[in-house]
Amino acid sequence: MAQNIGRGVPEDWRIAETTVRLGERQALSRTFTDAAGQVQFLVYHLKGLEYLESESVLLLVPSAEWEACAAEAESLLAQLRGTP
């Protein structure tokens, strides 16, 4: 995980947004999928449910087991207290 500094993605990628519950807070999760349908990375916006308003953003670069990585990251993020 690392702070995210966006630079844009190719036009043929898809971005799926969902709201997730991480402990006591809600966060916006954005999943970036390439033209071949492979998940390339996920972004968790920890403050604000609009990604342009988010103050804290963490990036998870998944492996082939991206769903397990996401579940582990969400479990860790749910344990955070205060401002990350």
Side-chain angles (χ1 to χ4, degrees):
M1 287 188 216
Q3 287 185 326
N4 179 42
I5 301 172
R7 298 191 192 268
V9 296
E11 290 182 17
D12 58 355
W13 283 29
R14 292 188 179 152
I15 304 170
E17 295 184 355
T18 59
T19 302
V20 294
R21 175 79 68 203
L22 300 174
E24 297 177 4
R25 71 172 61 112
Q26 282 191 314
L28 177 66
S29 171
R30 300 177 81 216
T31 304
F32 291 75
T33 305
D34 65 19
Q38 298 294 314
V39 173
Q40 293 297 316
F41 59 92
L42 294 93
V43 178
Y44 292 94
H45 300 269
L46 301 179
K47 286 187 174 180
L49 297 179
E50 297 291 330
Y51 78 94
L52 293 176
E53 297 175 4
S54 183
E55 294 178 23
S56 297
V57 181
L58 295 177
L59 172 69
L60 167 67
V61 179
S63 67
E65 301 291 326
W66 72 270
E67 289 150 321
C69 290
E72 188 73 24
E74 289 178 15
S75 176
L76 176 66
L77 293 171
Q79 297 175 43
L80 295 176
R81 299 281 187 256
T83 304

